[in-house]
Amino acid sequence: MSTRLQKGGRLIDRSTRAEFTFNGRRLIGHAGDTLASALLANDQMLVGRSFKYHRPRGIVAAGPEEPNALVNLGRADRLEPNQRATTTELYAGLEAASQNHWPSLDFDIGVVNNYLARFLPAGFYYKTFIHPRAAWKHLFEPIIRQSAGLGSAPKETDADRYEFVYAFCDVLIIGGGIAGLQAALTAGQAGKRVILLEQTAHWGGRAVVDGDTVENESAEEWVTSAVDALKTMENVTLRNRCMGAGVYDHGYVLANERLADHTPGDGRPKQRVWRIRAGHIISATGAIERPLSFAGNDIPGVMLAASVRDYVVNYAVSPGDRTVVVTNNDDAYLTAITLVEAGLSVPVVLDARAQADGPLPSRARALGIRVETGRGIASVKGGKRVTGVQICLQAGEGAVMEEIACDAVAMSGGWSPVVHLWSHCGGKLIWSETLSAFVPDSARPPLNHDGSAMVSCVGAAAGVYDPADIIAGTDSDGAATAIVPVWMMPQGAPIGLRSKMWLDYQNDVKVSDVQLAAREGYESVEHTKRYTTLGMATDQGKLSNINGLAVLSQALGAEIPQVGTTTFRPPYTPVTIGALAGEARGEIFQPLRRTPMHDWHDQNGAYWEPVGLWRRPYCYPRAGETHDQAVQREVINTREKLGLLDASTLGKIIVKGPDAGRFLDMLYTNMMSNLAVGKCRYGLMCNEQGFLSDDGVVARIDEDTWLCHTTSGGADRIHGWMEDWLQCEWWDWKVYTANVTEQYAQVAVVGPNARKLLEKIGGMDVSKEALPFMQWADGSLGGFPVRVYRISFSGELSYEIAIPASHGAAFWDMLHREGAEFGAMPYGTECLHVLRAEKGFIMIGDETDGTVTPLDLGLGWAVSKKKADFLGKRGMERTYLADPERWKLVGLETLDGSVLSDGAYAVAPGTNENGQRNTEGRVTSTYYSPTLKKGIAMGLIKNGPDRMGEVVELNKVDGGTVKARIVDAVFFDKEGEKGNA
Amino acid sequence: MRRYSVFAIAREALRYHSGWERAWASPTPKASYDAIIIGAGGHGLATAYYLGKNHGITNVAVIEKGWLGGGNTGRNTTIIRSNYLQDPSAAIYEKARSLYETMSQDLNYNVMFSPRGVIMLAQTHHEVRGYLRTAHANALQGVETQFINAAKVKELVPIINIDGPRYPVLGGLWQPRGGTARHDAVAWGYARACSDMGMDIIQQCEVKGVRSEGGKVVGVETTKGYIGTKKLGIVVAGHSGQVADMAGFRLPVEAVALQALVSEPIKPCMDVVVMANTVHGYMSQSDKGEMVIGGGTDGFNNYTQRGSFHHIEETLRALVETFPMISRLKMLRQWGGIVDMTGDRSPLISKTPLGNCFINCGWGTGGFKAIPGSGWAMAELMAKGEPGPLAAAFSLDRFKEGRFIDESVAAGVAH
């Protein structure tokens, strides 16, 4: 059994007990425990079920490489699925539950897959479930989906919050073992701005666990003084519980700091994402021990040798009373020594190598530990827990020589440097024969913007394991590890054993699966990975990849470096999605743009509509009114009395300079340079293709200043468009642009009583004579400084009044107060739409969709024929755009007065070659007109303007059609008397 | 070819699966072929498959620089839908979708096409009108779609938040017969079928040059030597510009990286595919249980198939807002694929200035869903030398004529 030892445990505080639950069972751990160590201390080795066969799974490792010990942590709005027990710090009240089983961890129906395993090899699902066709969707897939997946899906909104920070440094060091600390000391002492990150809560890495000696001190002492020294340096930032997640172009690094994972609900953000721009990155990320591939290596109780050591030394937890050690290198002997020194039993060390004479094997022998060389494990006995091992010759085929009872197996297949961060951005690897591992090829590093090496690796991440080498910066080339590669145990294992050798514990990929993939032609390492799912589990192959590709290379008769690795992708370990999304949630999910009158709208019952990042009132429903009724009331009131519109979102861009007129002539399809000061002109902008992209009224302010109004949604885009041309193409033109959209509030005062209101307020002459249609004037109204434009998007007598944003709310209040006697009411965007549609005014985004030209819309009058060039001119001349048969703008009226459906198409007889119904037009805008008391629509119809009075058929989504007559698009006040009043 | 079936598996299980044959051969190139296709991704392999199946042309080589299916076929988010707006797009994507329905049976390889349904959320009034338009267009195009209200969206996707404070869900365009498929399996299934027809799939073979005589293609220079051909199909997605350059012409195409990611696997919580274009993100749950997430393209041209962070952040914000429960899931892996974008975001299936040389590219961010339709149309073009009805609109000439097929009208986001 696994249990807590009576003494030791460098990280636990025995005086502080932490009560927690696992599958509802109350257990006790200590402060400083991980969830995994606390579970082991309570003899809970079985912690989950594998993905495919639902085999029992125990804790294998002690760090982020753990593939098995995944739990549902917490519950309700703090439920976190797939949490690794090995990296979860224990806290009082922690609730954990095992995953992927039904009805219980101990008795799981899904284990039936295990008994059928022979029928479910790699890729079996590609070869079956093919017939009958409907069965995949309705039968097979639902079963597969239900048995797949791991943790529970959270059901509630996350109770926690997250934050991110930006940081900059000269040197970013990732990994707080002795290699990282030494690198930080060197860079810190050289005066560099240094950030040092360590993923765990503790400094020192392996050296402090293994009791190494560093510069004639114990590693523990050396690490303490190194950290103390670094803490005194102002240019050094230390962060533990902070994982270097990903390396991106130009020294950009993402790191994930766990702030309150171990103190949930304490009010702090749960996690913090660091976005670091580093001059240079040093990866001191250590190495991960590899399992050995022998039959039954997945049975709970089989663990990585160094992890066994971690549990004993750090947490005073023994994974087993009798632990067999199996290895192909010297390092695992330290585990045997550690166990024996802790008073535990190591019945045998099985060493696959022919000889083992290094210092550690000698020490082990001196302690009286039985060492068998040239031996391996034929098979592990046990079900939910190891009960023994069968010993065989490594060089043989698995004939059992002896059976030894034990309750744990500590295995070591050697070490793989953690090269993830090196590789994320293109660092290349090289195969080291002496280490039997891929190590960073320092000749082919990831490159920075200036061609320099962006990342370098130190310590075990570079394949340097000896502390003396690490501190001295030398490399004795792995002599200390004395590894002999062993990719299969025993070497000549028959298929019966190979199909019980696990490579990927979580996804249930075995040696036989990789061999099958190779046999079937899935020879590329990427094919093998995808066919077998090797390395695709939540540990992303940290334990399985190298072993798997070694098996693959043997199966292909190729060298390991030829086969290569799969791609290392960020993040190094999975990162909580909420942390990556940061603080952008709810109301502030995106920046909210507010007009000065925003709060008034809110207080007056506005029903909001998002328009870009703005919100605009769609309408202002009164008690008992539907939205439709509110819109109709607003339309009637504006037509008959007085409507007030918050038009502040309208784009306003100042274009100024000696070349401003010339510039605008290129930008607009019509002429702007000849616009007189004081006048307004409606203008159109096209993209280079000749399609209409925006419209608005341009006012000439003075000799070299124009103010361009754009659509609300188009302001930023058009400003960017202007700058694009000015900066990239016409950089020598003397033009400045400024987007002043938010500098002004703008109010449209619309309706027959508009002038009455302004005259009542007083301050400037707004008479027809003083301020005729399509002119503007500066002045004051009611004491406010204003600029008044006589323009109309409704067909009514209309003044658009711009006022410095700071006065907007007060001015708006005054208009309502003073306008009450004239029937003033606010109106929203939908009323605006109806008003403009009644007048046949186009709306960008409705009548246009990026495929419509000004000529299609009957706006040829606004397309200059005199100008030598403008954006879109050449595009418009292309055959398809100049085709006389194009769909053109008309009005549409149903024969029965009903409202046409949005987006309906005009059907034409017959079908095209692809069997699709022919069409001859479509509806672009359709509304109920309260003014005319019937449905009105605008649409693009083939040759429409030449077909006035004709009846076309518009389709309905259910298959029927509606008849509509082609009419003039101007439905109301065709002579324009009202607007000119 | 030995057929796959549950009986075959049972038979093989008895002998530890020792009898399975190669899914596809690994041949050395012949001196010449009737047709060569550059690019053994989904589109290239599908082209080869339909050349054989529909046109009886089997003396075909598919040449691949890396490993088959290793480009965008193996990097996409596996969404299949055909609810496109413009007629030519709807035609080819619907053809593709219908071929996906029977692909497992056609290829005797389970590509796991799962018509779980696709919803495109409408979160602004403008978007509502846009999808109503698509629904009307689809009704005439023979594509089964429906505009559904917010309550129905919630019923189909219980984990969605339809009352978000910023962009409440107003409805959605629902294509019940859209869905997902296992992307790798599509490439593998086609490769196996092509190999079975006697075609040569030549991996690890990079094309270094295109040889022509008298304005017509005669062969390709490769890292495995010169290979002659009567016809050449260039089907290389992100690297189309480079291969076109070897063939002596330029393309109106640019390459950018499209970002995607998956979460750790969890138990089933979402059956349908959801695309949220206003906030920029889309998500489905794979059979394995991972939430498969996509977003946008990087704002600059490049050829590195790497993940970058900026779009991931934007996408995840959007999806946490749309599906609050994903906040406590974890991002397992992120990556990028190089997509080839044309000016109108629609593909090219076209003759080229070089005789007997044809191009199929420009699928941009939505190529996976098109694979069988694209291969069908490209095979017809290569076999006959002239485009059939599916390909006709997707010619290179359209950029000269201004006859764009602009889908950005309906789908402003990568898909």
Side-chain angles (χ1 to χ4, degrees):
Chain A
M1 62 183 292
S2 62
T3 184
R4 182 84 68 186
L5 300 169
Q6 288 305 313
K7 55 181 199 283
R10 47 181 292 278
L11 298 181
I12 56 166
D13 171 7
R14 286 181 194 259
S15 65
T16 311
R17 285 153 51 101
E19 189 173 307
F20 68 105
T21 67
F22 179 71
N23 288 342
R25 198 156 67 93
R26 287 174 53 193
L27 303 171
I28 303 290
H30 291 300
D33 261 326
T34 63
L35 175 56
S37 68
L39 287 169
L40 287 174
N42 286 278
D43 195 26
Q44 186 70 47
M45 177 62 85
L46 176 65
V47 287
R49 293 276 173 169
S50 66
F51 195 90
K52 185 172 169 186
Y53 301 139
H54 288 244
R55 284 174 66 88
R57 285 289 174 253
I59 295 161
V60 173
E65 68 273 31
E66 173 64 40
N68 288 347
L70 303 178
V71 296
N72 286 317
L73 188 69
R75 61 186 161 101
D77 57 5
R78 287 212 160 85
L79 169 65
E80 200 160 2
N82 302 331
Q83 191 68 14
R84 271 184 314 278
T86 52
T87 55
T88 303
E89 293 175 49
L90 190 70
Y91 52 86
L94 179 149
E95 293 175 59
S98 52
Q99 304 183 153
N100 203 35
H101 47 68
W102 185 87
S104 73
L105 177 60
D106 276 308
F107 180 76
D108 176 18
I109 293 284
V111 79
V112 67
N113 289 354
N114 185 36
Y115 302 114
L116 296 172
R118 223 158 131 180
F119 297 89
L120 312 174
F124 75 97
Y125 30 71
Y126 299 120
K127 295 172 178 159
T128 183
F129 308 134
I130 296 173
H131 297 281
R133 179 150 75 86
W136 174 252
K137 181 186 176 188
H138 297 290
L139 179 64
F140 303 133
E141 191 183 33
I143 294 171
I144 288 174
R145 279 174 89 83
Q146 207 57 50
S147 71
L150 283 173
S152 307
K155 292 197 169 55
E156 297 182 28
T157 300
D158 194 343
D160 280 309
R161 64 194 175 91
Y162 305 86
E163 65 179 25
F164 62 78
V165 292
Y166 291 90
F168 304 87
C169 62
D170 299 317
V171 182
L172 171 66
I173 299 149
I174 299 167
I178 59 169
L181 290 167
Q182 175 68 15
L185 286 169
T186 306
Q189 282 154 2
K192 302 262 172 67
R193 288 177 305 168
V194 177
I195 297 176
L196 172 62
L197 307 179
E198 162 57 38
Q199 63 185 353
T200 72
H202 308 285
W203 303 99
R206 276 234 69 79
V208 288
V209 181
D210 292 349
D212 291 337
T213 301
V214 183
E215 293 184 302
N216 303 319
E217 307 181 86
S218 75
E220 196 91 54
E221 288 163 346
W222 186 92
V223 166
T224 304
S225 54
V227 171
D228 287 345
L230 289 167
K231 280 181 178 163
T232 64
M233 297 185 197
E234 282 181 7
N235 54 330
V236 176
T237 303
L238 299 170
R239 275 286 179 283
N240 60 3
R241 297 193 175 98
C242 190
M243 183 264 299
V247 173
Y248 303 87
D249 287 326
H250 301 174
Y252 191 73
V253 174
L254 208 63
N256 183 215
E257 184 176 5
R258 294 175 290 115
L259 292 173
D261 274 16
H262 57 298
T263 55
D266 73 348
R268 292 184 299 163
K270 179 174 159 65
Q271 294 179 5
R272 174 187 291 148
V273 166
W274 288 70
R275 299 130 70 102
I276 304 168
R277 188 70 73 175
H280 187 73
I281 299 153
I282 296 177
S283 171
T285 42
I288 291 176
E289 195 166 29
R290 292 192 294 255
L292 283 166
S293 297
F294 47 85
N297 62 351
D298 70 321
I299 294 171
V302 179
M303 297 174 68
L304 294 173
S307 299
V308 169
R309 221 146 74 210
D310 286 336
Y311 286 112
V312 173
V313 176
N314 284 339
Y315 309 104
V317 166
S318 77
D321 298 331
R322 283 170 60 80
T323 304
V324 168
V325 175
V326 56
T327 185
N328 66 343
N329 64 76
D330 281 2
D331 188 68
Y333 284 84
L334 188 53
T335 299
I337 294 164
T338 306
L339 289 168
V340 169
E341 285 178 348
L344 296 157
S345 161
V346 176
V348 68
V349 176
L350 300 171
D351 194 324
R353 298 172 296 176
Q355 283 185 308
D357 306 324
L360 284 170
S362 303
R363 249 177 82 192
R365 286 193 182 96
L367 280 171
I369 299 172
R370 176 183 168 197
V371 174
E372 296 284 352
T373 56
R375 301 285 190 275
I377 291 177
S379 186
V380 178
K381 310 298 285 179
K384 290 174 192 160
R385 184 71 203 248
V386 170
T387 57
V389 295
Q390 294 178 328
I391 299 174
C392 66
L393 281 175
Q394 168 58 19
E397 293 179 355
V400 178
M401 303 168 69
E402 184 183 351
E403 195 166 316
I404 293 185
C406 63
D407 58 357
V409 175
M411 62 182 164
S412 178
W415 293 78
S416 296
V418 174
V419 294
H420 298 63
L421 299 176
W422 168 266
S423 303
H424 280 168
C425 217
K428 298 288 186 271
L429 304 175
I430 194 168
W431 180 256
S432 161
E433 292 290 346
T434 46
L435 298 175
S436 284
F438 278 107
V439 296
D441 181 356
S442 54
R444 295 180 298 164
L447 298 181
N448 229 325
H449 64 285
D450 57 1
S452 63
M454 189 167 87
V455 183
S456 50
C457 295
V458 296
V464 179
Y465 297 131
D466 187 325
D469 279 342
I470 289 169
I471 300 301
T474 53
D475 186 359
S476 52
D477 203 18
T481 61
I483 188 173
V484 171
V486 169
W487 305 118
M488 217 158 58
M489 181 175 275
Q491 196 181 323
I495 182 69
L497 292 181
R498 297 204 304 271
S499 57
K500 293 196 181 72
M501 295 177 183
W502 260 255
L503 291 167
D504 190 315
Y505 298 116
Q506 190 184 114
N507 276 358
D508 283 321
V509 182
K510 301 155 293 174
V511 167
S512 57
D513 291 314
V514 169
Q515 291 170 332
L516 173 64
R519 193 155 62 244
E520 291 194 274
Y522 300 89
E523 295 170 342
S524 151
V525 63
E526 287 284 352
H527 282 157
T528 300
K529 166 189 146 185
R530 288 152 183 260
Y531 190 65
T532 63
T533 72
L534 173 81
M536 293 172 77
T538 59
D539 67 317
Q540 289 283 286
K542 289 187 180 70
L543 293 192
S544 60
N545 271 353
I546 300 298
N547 285 348
L549 80 89
V551 170
L552 177 65
S553 70
Q554 280 184 342
L556 297 173
E559 296 295 318
I560 288 174
Q562 268 173 273
V563 174
T565 64
T566 54
T567 314
F568 294 90
R569 301 281 190 192
Y572 173 59
T573 60
V575 177
T576 299
I577 284 173
L580 295 170
E583 285 145 308
R585 285 164 67 175
E587 281 285 342
I588 56 164
F589 151 57
Q590 286 180 352
L592 178 60
R593 300 179 76 180
R594 299 152 59 94
T595 74
M597 292 82 106
H598 186 98
D599 290 343
W600 189 96
H601 305 317
D602 221 12
Q603 287 153 14
N604 286 271
Y607 166 64
W608 293 108
E609 164 178 41
V611 177
L613 294 175
W614 300 101
R615 273 186 206 171
R616 300 190 72 184
Y618 176 92
C619 62
Y620 301 82
R622 292 177 172 178
E625 263 183 351
T626 64
H627 294 167
D628 282 350
Q629 288 166 341
V631 170
Q632 289 174 29
R633 170 179 51 74
E634 291 170 13
V635 170
I636 298 285
N637 185 70
T638 304
R639 287 266 181 245
E640 292 179 354
K641 294 174 187 161
L642 182 58
L644 298 173
L645 175 78
D646 177 1
S648 306
T649 60
L650 200 68
K652 307 169 210 64
I653 301 170
I654 300 273
V655 178
K656 187 176 177 70
D659 289 320
R662 177 188 178 201
F663 173 62
L664 292 177
D665 281 349
M666 283 302 291
L667 221 61
Y668 284 89
T669 61
N670 44 348
M671 198 77 98
M672 289 298 169
S673 57
N674 64 359
L675 180 63
V677 173
K679 300 245 172 168
C680 302
R681 183 172 290 164
Y682 175 67
L684 304 175
M685 276 188 240
C686 287
N687 59 20
E688 302 107 303
Q689 312 298 346
F691 298 120
L692 191 53
S693 72
D694 209 71
D695 70 348
V697 170
V698 179
R700 184 142 185 197
I701 306 301
D702 59 35
E703 199 45 43
D704 67 354
T705 311
W706 281 256
L707 184 118
C708 303
H709 288 109
T710 73
T711 57
S712 292
D716 300 322
R717 175 173 52 87
I718 295 299
H719 188 231
W721 173 247
M722 288 176 171
E723 286 298 319
D724 190 358
W725 287 99
L726 286 173
Q727 292 178 32
C728 301
E729 305 293 336
W730 305 321
W731 46 269
D732 52 339
W733 292 16
K734 292 173 179 150
V735 183
Y736 290 97
T737 68
N739 185 349
V740 295
T741 301
E742 290 182 341
Q743 272 59 53
Y744 292 95
Q746 199 142 320
V747 182
V749 181
V750 182
N753 295 341
R755 187 174 290 133
K756 286 181 206 160
L757 170 59
L758 300 190
E759 284 174 344
K760 176 187 171 193
I761 295 167
M764 64 188 285
D765 188 349
V766 294
S767 67
K768 184 176 180 179
E769 296 69 32
L771 188 56
F773 189 51
M774 295 308 272
Q775 292 206 15
W776 64 270
D778 281 342
S780 77
L781 282 170
F784 291 96
V786 293
R787 176 173 290 157
V788 183
Y789 303 90
R790 260 306 296 283
I791 55 181
S792 175
F793 195 43
S794 56
E796 292 300 320
L797 171 62
S798 164
Y799 297 85
E800 290 207 7
I801 302 168
I803 180 164
S806 55
H807 293 303
F811 184 67
W812 176 257
D813 281 345
M814 183 191 68
L815 291 176
H816 280 278
R817 197 169 58 241
E818 302 300 327
E821 64 177 288
F822 305 112
M825 272 185 208
Y827 67 90
T829 51
E830 188 64 3
C831 171
L832 166 118
H833 278 103
V834 176
L835 293 172
R836 66 94 196 168
E838 289 176 341
K839 279 292 292 178
F841 292 147
I842 65 140
M843 175 69 84
I844 297 292
D846 286 340
E847 274 60 48
T848 70
D849 65 359
T851 70
V852 176
T853 72
L855 298 172
D856 296 340
L857 298 176
L859 297 171
W861 56 269
V863 180
S864 169
K865 294 173 189 64
K866 287 184 277 181
K867 287 196 288 187
D869 197 10
F870 59 83
L871 295 177
K873 181 179 171 75
R874 186 165 150 271
M876 274 182 223
E877 287 165 0
R878 285 182 288 189
T879 52
Y880 186 69
L881 278 74
D883 184 351
E885 300 272 283
R886 283 177 70 86
W887 295 1
K888 293 192 173 132
L889 187 72
V890 291
L892 294 167
E893 277 180 6
T894 52
L895 300 190
D896 61 2
S898 61
V899 181
L900 283 167
S901 303
D902 263 310
Y905 276 77
V907 295
T911 56
N912 65 19
E913 279 187 290
N914 288 316
Q916 300 167 320
R917 182 70 188 264
N918 287 326
T919 54
E920 57 170 349
R922 62 184 179 90
V923 171
T924 56
S925 295
T926 170
Y927 300 98
Y928 174 73
S929 163
T931 313
L932 304 170
K933 303 209 166 21
K934 62 179 178 184
I936 60 167
M938 297 161 78
L940 294 162
I941 301 288
K942 186 175 180 182
N943 287 328
D946 301 332
R947 296 167 61 184
M948 285 296 154
E950 250 183 65
V951 172
V952 290
E953 291 194 40
L954 284 308
N955 82 316
K956 296 198 285 187
V957 285
D958 62 8
T961 59
V962 179
K963 287 189 165 64
R965 193 179 307 284
I966 300 176
V967 297
D968 186 355
V970 185
F971 293 91
F972 176 72
D973 188 24
K974 289 184 198 293
E975 287 71 40
E977 287 171 5
K978 295 194 81 179
N980 277 321
Chain B
M1 180 172 81
R2 208 171 297 164
R3 291 185 65 77
Y4 290 159
S5 70
V6 67
F7 307 107
I9 288 178
R11 184 188 66 226
E12 285 298 328
L14 300 178
R15 45 174 167 167
Y16 287 102
H17 302 276
S18 59
W20 293 111
E21 56 188 21
R22 291 182 65 97
W24 51 80
S26 179
T28 48
K30 293 194 269 188
S32 74
Y33 294 90
D34 290 342
I36 285 179
I37 291 152
I38 308 175
H43 291 261
L45 290 165
T47 301
Y49 176 73
Y50 293 111
L51 270 177
K53 188 178 179 197
N54 294 354
H55 305 283
I57 301 170
T58 56
N59 184 22
V60 173
V62 186
I63 299 179
E64 169 56 48
K65 181 171 77 170
W67 39 281
L68 70 87
N72 295 338
T73 304
R75 292 163 193 272
N76 61 80
T77 48
T78 80
I79 298 169
I80 293 163
R81 62 182 181 89
S82 60
N83 51 352
Y84 278 68
L85 177 66
Q86 311 291 4
D87 283 351
S89 317
I92 197 161
Y93 287 106
E94 175 64 9
K95 176 72 181 177
R97 196 202 56 76
S98 68
L99 288 169
Y100 266 121
E101 284 189 332
T102 55
M103 189 181 285
S104 296
Q105 292 75 37
D106 286 349
L107 300 179
N108 180 238
Y109 200 103
N110 189 357
V111 301
M112 305 180 200
F113 173 68
S114 175
R116 49 189 61 257
V118 177
I119 299 177
M120 301 173 77
L121 296 182
Q123 292 177 279
T124 65
H125 291 279
H126 187 256
E127 219 171 5
V128 169
R129 289 193 292 271
Y131 287 139
L132 284 171
R133 177 180 169 193
T134 305
H136 281 89
N138 290 163
L140 300 172
Q141 292 156 343
V143 178
E144 186 191 336
T145 60
Q146 191 189 349
F147 189 85
I148 56 176
N149 63 24
K152 177 74 175 170
V153 170
K154 180 76 181 169
E155 186 187 319
L156 287 164
V157 194
I159 63 169
I160 203 168
N161 175 24
I162 58 170
D163 303 318
R166 292 302 298 277
Y167 302 101
V169 173
L170 304 173
L173 185 66
W174 168 234
Q175 183 173 26
R177 301 176 77 175
T180 57
R182 175 83 183 92
H183 55 8
D184 292 322
V186 172
W188 299 342
Y190 274 128
R192 175 165 167 266
C194 287
S195 185
D196 183 54
M197 282 191 276
M199 296 178 181
D200 289 348
I201 300 164
I202 304 162
Q203 300 182 74
Q204 307 294 335
C205 177
E206 184 175 355
V207 170
K208 306 298 268 185
V210 175
R211 203 185 284 180
S212 62
E213 282 169 20
K216 290 186 174 168
V217 70
V218 294
V220 290
E221 314 281 356
T222 77
T223 49
K224 293 191 176 177
Y226 173 78
I227 313 173
T229 188
K230 293 175 186 153
K231 291 180 177 179
L232 181 65
I234 302 171
V235 196
V236 297
H239 291 83
S240 295
Q242 290 153 316
V243 180
D245 190 46
M246 295 177 201
F249 57 93
R250 295 194 64 188
L251 290 172
V253 163
E254 56 184 8
V256 291
L258 175 66
Q259 300 295 330
L261 67 114
V262 292
S263 77
E264 293 182 343
I266 53 168
K267 289 294 175 190
C269 63
M270 180 165 129
D271 286 336
V272 306
V273 180
V274 176
M275 315 184 68
N277 290 347
T278 291
V279 295
H280 288 281
Y282 48 93
M283 185 167 94
S284 63
Q285 187 172 22
S286 72
D287 286 347
K288 242 186 116 190
E290 298 154 333
M291 308 312 290
V292 183
I293 290 172
T297 50
D298 285 346
F300 47 92
N301 296 359
N302 79 95
Y303 287 112
T304 62
Q305 294 168 316
R306 289 206 285 263
S308 68
F309 181 61
H310 308 87
H311 261 293
I312 295 299
E313 177 190 12
E314 187 191 334
T315 300
L316 290 177
R317 283 177 176 177
L319 293 176
V320 168
E321 194 56 21
T322 312
F323 307 99
M325 55 76 68
I326 70 165
S327 177
R328 293 182 86 89
L329 306 187
K330 298 189 196 74
M331 174 171 86
L332 176 60
R333 186 175 175 88
Q334 66 160 127
W335 65 93
I338 303 306
V339 297
D340 40 327
M341 313 278 270
T342 61
D344 62 359
R345 301 295 184 259
S346 286
L348 287 164
I349 308 173
S350 179
K351 297 200 277 188
T352 71
L354 180 62
N356 291 339
C357 174
F358 307 91
I359 187 131
N360 178 343
C361 70
W363 293 95
T365 58
F368 175 72
K369 67 175 77 71
I371 283 173
S374 160
W376 185 286
M378 180 69 174
E380 186 173 10
L381 171 64
M382 286 185 70
K384 296 178 179 169
E386 292 294 330
L390 283 177
F394 297 108
S395 71
L396 260 170
D397 291 344
R398 76 174 188 270
F399 295 99
K400 262 185 226 156
E401 298 163 6
R403 193 172 35 78
F404 302 120
I405 306 161
D406 195 338
E407 284 293 339
S408 60
V409 182
V413 72
H415 45 109

